[in-house]
Amino acid sequence: MAEESTKVEDDKKNENRLWGGRFSTSRIHQCLEKINNSIEIDHRLHKQDIKGSLAYASGLKDAGNLTDQERNLIVAGLKKIEEEWAEDEFQLYQSDEDIHTAVERRLKELIGPLAGKLHTGRSRNDQVATDTKLWLKDESEELTKLLSGVIMRMAKKAEEQIDVLMPGYTHLQKAQPVRWSHWLLSHAWALNEDRQRLAQIVERTMSRCPLGSGALAGTPLALDRSKVAQALGFTGVSENSMHAVADRDFVAEFTFWSALTSVHLSRMAEDLLLHCSLGFAKMGPGLSTGSSLMPHKSNPDGVELLRAKGATLTGLCTSMLALLKGLPSTYNKDLQLDKSILFQAHDDLKLSLELTYAVIDTLQVDRINCLAALEPSMLATDLAYYLVHKGIPFREAHNLVGTVVRLAEQKKIEIKDISIIELKEISPLFDEDVLQVWSYESSVEQYKAFGGTSKSSVEEQIVKIKTQNHTE
Ligand code: ARG
């Protein structure tokens, strides 16, 4: 049977298991093999695994555990393996439990038993923690660039559409007129905080190198941990070997970060879906799907999925915390499952950001529909400010305008159509100049203090957010 012969083949390869010596048989139950093997997932760490081994080989040489020549042979072998991965020529065996096993097995094939010296004083426990931190540091840089790109596109779109006015909502009820750009930037600022937050997480949780922690107790070698760490781009070394091999807080914080960023995207997605439904905007070409039954439909599925990712990413954050909760000290195999959570969170968030860029880039804002959705009742607050400017305390002004709103409702007319005579009955301070209140443009323009919706304030925001995200 073909299946049997593959197994026999694999039995030979089982000699390559890193822990084979302790067992009388090299066969392991197929269920254990299936649940234990992580290569299908952690092969994504191959670059970082090789990079870590290159730095470690030099560390071993400096410590007197490898001769120059041995170090050079190991380095040449590792470089060849790197090439094989890059060319998609690296051959995986079923017995390659994880990326660390696969690289070491191949190194042995290339340079013989000397490969076994590379693992001196090192455990897969400090190795995997190092690889994962290195991977996440690299990817965080990519995500930061992507995030900045999205923020910059939002800022430019805000600039392009700065004259569009639309209803601002609270409780999903029309509240006050605002600039469309002010709304868009409200989401851009949330993403800008996510960008800053990621930098803080990288700095706090990924700057110290675990290599040299061994399985849990540390290293008995004269290894210059700081030098190895520096070669790998870390700014320092982990302070406690037991903590270093147990620590996955960097993954937990990253999944929280992904969840929160995705929650921000989901809130923007929800606004966009409402805007599209209300006719304020239209999805750009290629960003809607049709209905299999209703020929006229153009559905914003992509943005709905952007909203939905907020749920699954929140789930991944919960999974990671649950994985860590109650775990005993140091390394336990449970920790292996951190990678599928991490990669999923990363991939989902990356795709969400790419989609967000495309959506914002091509979004067509309908200035006429936005304007048409404004209602004079949204200027009631302005009417109160009118009285405030005439010296009335705001609470009293609010109350008087409440009476105006009630009167308009009774008469089934807009508040702007209440006559001056009727207004004067409510407060003698109302005068002909009240007419100036009924302008949406002047309404938004009164919010000139920084952070408000006037044109100059929004322009200031644009300059500020662009400066912070300008990467060239
Ligand atoms: N594949 C393992 C992981 O991802 C590597 C560490 C294995 N360590 C061990 N002692 N079994 O966590």
Side-chain angles (χ1 to χ4, degrees):
M1 247 163 35
E3 209 178 278
E4 253 326 290
S5 60
T6 331
K7 287 251 173 68
V8 176
E9 260 294 284
D10 280 334
D11 257 2
K12 280 193 225 130
K13 290 163 192 165
N14 278 349
E15 289 161 23
N16 296 319
R17 290 215 158 88
L18 299 180
W19 39 263
R22 186 238 173 278
F23 295 92
S24 54
T25 166
S26 55
R27 262 196 187 273
I28 65 166
H29 195 286
Q30 55 181 11
C31 289
L32 174 58
E33 185 165 73
K34 212 166 167 186
I35 202 169
N36 193 43
N37 283 12
S38 58
I39 187 70
E40 272 177 36
I41 291 168
D42 63 23
H43 65 87
R44 289 179 70 171
L45 299 175
H46 63 84
K47 253 194 213 148
Q48 291 73 21
D49 196 71
I50 294 169
K51 190 176 172 189
S53 286
L54 285 167
Y56 193 67
S58 294
L60 286 179
K61 195 215 75 174
D62 293 344
N65 295 85
L66 288 178
T67 63
D68 261 355
Q69 203 203 356
E70 286 176 328
R71 198 273 313 254
N72 294 346
L73 277 169
I74 288 177
V75 166
L78 288 170
K79 294 241 155 132
K80 169 91 178 91
I81 297 172
E82 200 168 39
E83 254 172 57
E84 290 179 354
W85 274 107
E87 303 294 318
D88 210 9
E89 280 166 2
F90 189 92
Q91 284 257 320
L92 281 172
Y93 294 170
Q94 201 184 331
S95 55
D96 287 336
E97 205 179 296
D98 54 25
I99 185 61
H100 327 293
T101 318
V103 171
E104 195 175 325
R105 184 263 306 153
R106 181 67 185 134
L107 189 63
K108 194 172 161 200
E109 285 169 1
L110 289 170
I111 65 167
L114 169 63
K117 284 204 178 182
L118 180 59
H119 217 52
T120 317
R122 189 173 66 167
S123 156
R124 281 183 295 164
N125 298 356
D126 55 352
Q127 194 176 355
V128 73
T130 306
D131 292 2
T132 314
K133 275 191 182 182
L134 284 174
W135 184 87
L136 194 47
K137 258 151 53 100
D138 288 348
E139 293 303 325
S140 296
E141 250 177 61
E142 289 306 308
L143 287 172
T144 302
K145 278 188 210 151
L146 201 52
L147 201 46
S148 267
V150 171
I151 296 168
M152 283 300 256
R153 191 62 196 94
M154 289 166 90
K156 285 191 189 130
K157 196 83 178 185
E159 212 165 27
E160 288 157 26
Q161 305 291 347
I162 197 150
D163 291 323
V164 177
L165 305 186
M166 70 161 200
Y169 293 78
T170 61
H171 311 271
L172 273 188
Q173 303 294 313
K174 288 182 182 177
Q176 288 182 311
V178 291
R179 291 190 183 278
W180 183 84
S181 303
H182 194 52
W183 162 79
L184 185 63
L185 288 168
S186 72
H187 292 291
W189 284 110
L191 295 177
N192 196 50
E193 280 179 23
D194 292 327
R195 182 184 57 75
Q196 293 165 332
R197 189 175 291 112
L198 182 59
Q200 290 158 354
I201 291 172
V202 170
E203 165 64 23
R204 186 177 59 257
T205 68
M206 294 171 225
S207 62
R208 291 177 314 284
C209 182
L211 265 189
S213 298
L216 77 162
T219 179
L221 313 178
L223 183 75
D224 186 344
R225 290 191 63 207
S226 299
K227 196 171 168 193
V228 175
Q230 216 177 2
L232 290 171
F234 289 99
T235 54
V237 296
S238 52
E239 299 84 354
N240 178 304
S241 60
M242 292 178 80
H243 172 57
V245 295
D247 175 32
R248 292 296 182 276
D249 290 358
F250 60 104
V251 180
E253 284 209 42
F254 179 79
T255 56
F256 165 71
W257 177 83
S258 319
L260 185 60
T261 306
S262 180
V263 163
H264 291 151
L265 293 177
S266 81
R267 294 186 70 173
M268 177 163 72
E270 172 65 6
D271 274 6
L272 279 168
L273 292 166
L274 288 168
H275 284 193
C276 287
S277 178
L278 293 166
F280 294 177
K282 234 170 117 179
M283 286 298 144
L287 286 160
S288 299
T289 56
S291 154
S292 54
L293 190 141
M294 299 166 282
H296 70 291
K297 290 299 289 288
S298 167
N299 298 328
D301 296 32
V303 179
E304 287 172 316
L305 288 165
L306 205 55
R307 180 176 58 185
K309 289 285 180 195
T312 48
L313 276 155
T314 301
L316 289 170
C317 176
T318 311
S319 294
M320 192 58 212
L321 291 175
L323 191 70
L324 296 175
K325 191 225 161 271
L327 212 59
S329 267
T330 84
Y331 183 82
N332 299 272
K333 202 58 178 263
D334 312 47
L335 291 177
Q336 176 163 283
L337 300 194
D338 68 343
K339 253 87 65 202
S340 42
I341 296 173
L342 172 64
F343 294 153
Q344 187 69 56
H346 165 271
D347 296 352
D348 278 1
L349 194 74
K350 189 166 179 231
L351 182 59
S352 298
L353 288 172
E354 285 163 350
L355 179 68
T356 304
Y357 186 94
V359 167
I360 300 297
D361 191 37
T362 56
L363 194 70
Q364 294 154 20
V365 185
D366 192 318
R367 134 200 313 259
I368 311 273
N369 284 354
C370 284
L371 197 62
L374 291 168
E375 289 168 11
S377 61
M378 300 176 70
L379 298 169
T381 315
D382 301 58
L383 196 60
Y385 285 145
Y386 166 91
L387 291 175
V388 166
H389 289 311
K390 302 219 164 184
I392 296 202
F394 183 76
R395 280 288 147 249
E396 206 179 309
H398 185 281
N399 217 20
L400 290 167
V401 174
T403 315
V404 176
V405 171
R406 226 175 329 115
L407 182 63
E409 255 174 23
Q410 274 164 16
K411 301 184 82 169
K412 297 197 186 339
I413 57 172
E414 298 286 0
I415 51 170
K416 77 171 175 43
D417 296 325
I418 306 270
S419 70
I420 306 278
I421 301 166
E422 283 168 311
L423 284 178
K424 274 186 183 294
E425 275 168 26
I426 293 167
S427 165
L429 289 171
F430 281 121
D431 220 330
E432 292 292 335
D433 61 353
V434 77
L435 291 178
Q436 80 202 20
V437 169
W438 311 122
S439 154
Y440 299 122
E441 187 69 33
S442 31
S443 170
V444 295
E445 277 312 286
Q446 68 192 308
Y447 299 104
K448 285 202 193 308
F450 181 64
T453 195
S454 74
K455 191 165 180 169
S456 60
S457 286
V458 173
E459 279 167 348
E460 258 186 276
Q461 287 182 55
I462 293 173
V463 170
K464 201 166 177 187
I465 207 163
K466 271 185 165 179
T467 315
Q468 291 185 22
N469 287 278
H470 194 77
T471 42
E472 284 111 295

